[in-house]
Amino acid sequence: MRILLVEDDRDLGPVIAMGLRNEAYAVDLATTCADAEELLCGNDFDVACLDLGLPDGDGLALLRRLGADPALRRPRRLLVLTARDAVEDRVAGLDAGADDYLVKPFSFQELAARLRALSRRSDVLDAVLHVGDLRLDSAAHRAWRGDEALDLTPREFSMLRYFMHHPGRAVSAEELLEHVWDAQADPFTASVRVILSRLRRKLGEPGPITTVTGVGYVLRESP
């Protein structure tokens, strides 16, 4: 799952981003409205975590534009992270299009739990996925093939989760870079092939992920 984190606190933002990456999310960090808009013009995000008090504008105005400006790609889910704790502020944020509202200071564990809850609420992101003999629990960050637990790194886990959201469909290397990595990923590296090779070894035989020459990779329900 790819997350856009919009947070202007230069101490807090990197800490939250690191924590989310340790939870196997791909995270892009923006510190201004302008940075966020640039990322939203060219990338598809599953969730945006949006601070409201930004140095170059009000995050609430950006939140409203996400539903009206066709140049901006609206994330599937929107979570407000802000120090504004008045009831009217909460109401304004939710009425502007936010799916959830979390007041600072908050614990990272609560943020992670709310992101899992948003995942369960989404049409395309389920907490527990089943494809063939593969099972993946997003909340517990565990995966199994049959009865055998899989020992996956965060990136391998994230890649498998993306495949399991799109079983039977060819997924290109570019698409994997878009959703499993963040904006800092180099599109010319062999990162996708390296992680995919490791994941395939850990999944064992018969291999459920097959290559479609010139197109990408497919997770088969019946390998």
Side-chain angles (χ1 to χ4, degrees):
M1 185 162 76
R2 188 170 182 182
I3 296 174
L4 172 62
L5 174 62
V6 186
E7 172 57 66
D8 69 319
D9 188 314
R10 296 190 179 274
D11 293 323
L12 180 61
V15 170
I16 295 175
M18 181 175 62
L20 292 175
R21 288 175 182 133
N22 288 338
E23 294 286 318
Y25 298 119
V27 182
D28 294 290
L29 176 60
T31 58
T32 65
C33 282
D35 290 342
E37 289 182 7
E38 183 177 354
L39 286 166
L40 288 164
C41 283
N43 301 281
D44 293 312
F45 292 97
D46 300 298
V47 179
C49 298
L50 178 63
D51 186 15
L52 298 184
L54 297 169
D56 60 342
D58 190 345
L60 197 59
L62 174 59
L63 185 59
R64 293 191 180 104
R65 286 204 305 278
L66 285 174
D69 189 341
L72 301 178
R73 302 183 186 181
R74 189 186 190 280
R76 294 188 180 99
R77 292 288 180 252
L78 294 163
L79 170 62
V80 169
L81 303 175
T82 181
R84 300 178 190 175
D85 60 354
V87 171
E88 54 267 30
D89 291 321
R90 297 171 190 257
V91 171
L94 294 170
D95 283 346
D99 297 286
D100 200 357
Y101 195 103
L102 183 58
V103 175
K104 299 175 182 176
F106 53 84
S107 72
F108 181 81
Q109 289 81 2
E110 182 178 1
L111 172 60
R114 286 175 182 257
L115 287 171
R116 293 193 295 269
L118 289 176
S119 296
R120 292 193 295 272
R121 205 185 308 171
S122 172
D123 294 333
V124 298
L125 299 174
D126 298 316
V128 180
L129 302 172
H130 297 268
V131 177
D133 61 353
L134 292 170
R135 179 165 55 96
L136 183 145
D137 187 330
S138 293
H141 289 273
R142 299 183 64 192
W144 300 262
R145 184 166 190 187
D147 295 326
E148 182 178 352
L150 300 172
D151 182 17
L152 303 178
T153 66
R155 190 75 72 189
E156 292 162 357
F157 182 89
S158 188
M159 178 178 282
L160 178 60
R161 179 171 55 193
Y162 192 78
F163 273 116
M164 292 181 70
H165 282 309
H166 305 89
R169 178 170 75 77
V171 176
S172 67
E174 291 77 14
E175 186 175 346
L176 288 170
L177 273 174
E178 175 79 14
H179 291 276
V180 178
W181 278 260
D182 52 37
Q184 298 179 8
D186 183 350
F188 299 105
T189 69
S191 299
V192 170
R193 291 195 301 273
V194 171
I195 299 300
L196 180 59
S197 177
R198 293 176 185 169
L199 176 60
R200 280 171 154 168
R201 284 199 302 271
K202 292 182 179 181
L203 292 178
E205 297 295 338
I209 300 175
T210 59
T211 301
V212 181
T213 303
V215 179
Y217 312 96
V218 177
L219 175 62
R220 308 287 186 187
E221 294 200 33
S222 300

